[in-house]
């Protein structure tokens, strides 16, 4: 089946934005703001795979759900949604023909920007 939109993560992201838990950063900031491997590992160890899963708009049902390889298109830092991450994932999703993820990211970006 491949990578599909993680609807639960999308609902989580929308909720965070509505609650004001968003960083309205610039397009190219994601390389500096993205969680490190150590940050990811801490979240998995502390809160488990379900929490990790909630921070990725892409999920691959063909992968083991308890591996990082099952998740793609992160949108935040495990505390807040980052505008730069949403921009980045929208672009990457479009580039690799993940249209449903691209479209969801666009709507999330519109919510962030107040459109």
């Amino acid at each position: 089946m491949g990578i599909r939109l993680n609807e639960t993560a999308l609902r989580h992201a929308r909720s965070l934005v509505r609650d004001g838990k968003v960083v309205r950063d610039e397009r190219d900031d994601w390389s500096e703001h993205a969680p490190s491997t150590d940050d990811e590992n801490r979240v998995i160890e502390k809160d488990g795979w379900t929490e990790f899963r909630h921070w990725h708009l892409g999920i691959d049902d063909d992968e083991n759900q308890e591996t990082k390889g099952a998740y793609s298109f992160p949108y935040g830092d495990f505390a807040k949604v980052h505008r730069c991450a949403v921009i980045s994932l929208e672009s990457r999703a479009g580039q690799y023909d993940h249209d449903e993820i691209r479209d969801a990211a666009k709507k999330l970006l519109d919510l962030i920007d107040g459109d």
Side-chain angles (χ1 to χ4, degrees), residues 10 14 17-18 22 24 81 83 86-87 90 102-115:
L10 180 58
R14 287 179 185 147
V17 172
R18 287 185 192 113
V22 62
R24 288 177 174 84
V81 175
R83 183 177 182 274
V86 177
I87 292 169
E90 178 190 11
R102 179 204 60 212
D103 295 347
K106 172 66 174 124
K107 289 177 184 172
L108 186 58
L109 187 60
D110 288 345
L111 184 62
I112 291 168
D113 290 342
D115 293 343

Side-chain angles (χ1 to χ4, degrees), residues 6-17 21-23 30 33-35 39-40 43-44 47-59 70-83 85-86 89 92 108:
N6 181 350
E7 296 279 353
T8 303
L10 180 58
R11 284 191 299 273
H12 183 247
R14 287 179 185 147
S15 176
L16 290 167
V17 172
K21 295 179 181 173
V22 62
V23 178
W30 187 234
H33 294 185
D39 293 335
E40 292 175 340
V43 166
I44 293 165
D47 300 317
W49 286 103
T50 300
E51 180 65 15
F52 186 79
R53 181 180 310 125
H54 285 157
W55 288 91
H56 295 82
L57 291 187
I59 188 166
Y71 308 102
S72 56
F73 302 108
Y75 63 81
D77 62 5
F78 305 114
K80 293 183 177 183
V81 175
H82 280 253
R83 183 177 182 274
V86 177
L89 79 87
R92 264 190 14 250
L108 186 58

